[in-house]
Amino acid sequence: KEEDLKMKTNDVILKSLSAIISGCIFLLSLSLYFGGHFLPGGGFVGGLLCTMALALSMFTYGIDRVMKLIPINYVYVTAIGLLFSIGTAFSGVVAGKNFFKHHFTHVHVPIMGEMELHTAAIFDLGVYLIVVGVLMTVILAFGKDGK
């Protein structure tokens, strides 16, 4: 029989390590996003790593299984990212300053202490979401095309 002759893959190691590795990659992407304004990284690199974590999970467990677990329409993720980025660009005009003018303020958060809030973080979040949305849309288009 043809079915008996097919090799069955033993992907126990891949499935065991994939969840751990994907989680670590996702945490690294968040770390790069949050440190991006003051350190190397930011929304673009963080978005690439987040996409890598999702793609590794889809490669390991299958697109349909991951999409059932995380039912996200990545076109909407791209649109939300564009709204954040464009909104940040126009926030300077709304505040009576120049287009794409960066603003920041200091706030006191009870447990964390003094923190700086700035529009660059919102812009980086928009870039992060755009990168994840566009790349995941492409990956899903190519991945589902092969069925």
Side-chain angles (χ1 to χ4, degrees):
K1 291 181 179 179
E2 214 175 295
E3 292 175 16
D4 293 336
L5 296 176
K6 287 184 182 178
M7 284 190 74
K8 292 187 178 186
T9 59
N10 188 0
D11 53 359
V12 174
I13 295 173
L14 177 65
K15 286 187 177 184
S16 299
L17 293 177
S18 175
I20 296 168
I21 293 171
S22 291
C24 289
I25 292 172
F26 179 69
L27 289 176
L28 179 61
S29 85
L30 290 179
S31 173
L32 286 171
Y33 161 70
F34 283 114
H37 185 60
F38 300 108
L39 302 168
F44 186 77
V45 176
L48 287 175
L49 285 175
C50 180
T51 304
M52 274 181 38
L54 289 168
L56 177 62
S57 296
M58 288 180 176
F59 174 74
T60 304
Y61 300 107
I63 291 174
D64 293 331
R65 190 170 184 189
V66 173
M67 289 303 292
K68 281 183 186 175
L69 185 64
I70 309 171
I72 296 174
N73 185 341
Y74 291 100
V75 173
Y76 292 146
V77 172
T78 305
I80 292 168
L82 279 170
L83 286 175
F84 280 163
S85 296
I86 292 170
T88 303
F90 280 102
S91 69
V93 175
V94 171
K97 305 204 182 205
N98 294 337
F99 179 73
F100 241 124
K101 178 70 177 166
H102 171 72
H103 351 297
F104 65 94
T105 186
H106 294 276
V107 294
H108 182 75
V109 179
I111 294 175
M112 300 176 79
E114 193 74 19
M115 291 186 68
E116 184 177 291
L117 298 176
H118 45 84
T119 55
I122 299 170
F123 180 79
D124 272 349
L125 178 62
V127 171
Y128 185 97
L129 293 174
I130 290 168
V131 169
V132 171
V134 169
L135 290 178
M136 287 306 298
T137 301
V138 170
I139 287 170
L140 289 173
F142 283 124
K144 289 184 177 184
D145 193 35
K147 286 186 175 182

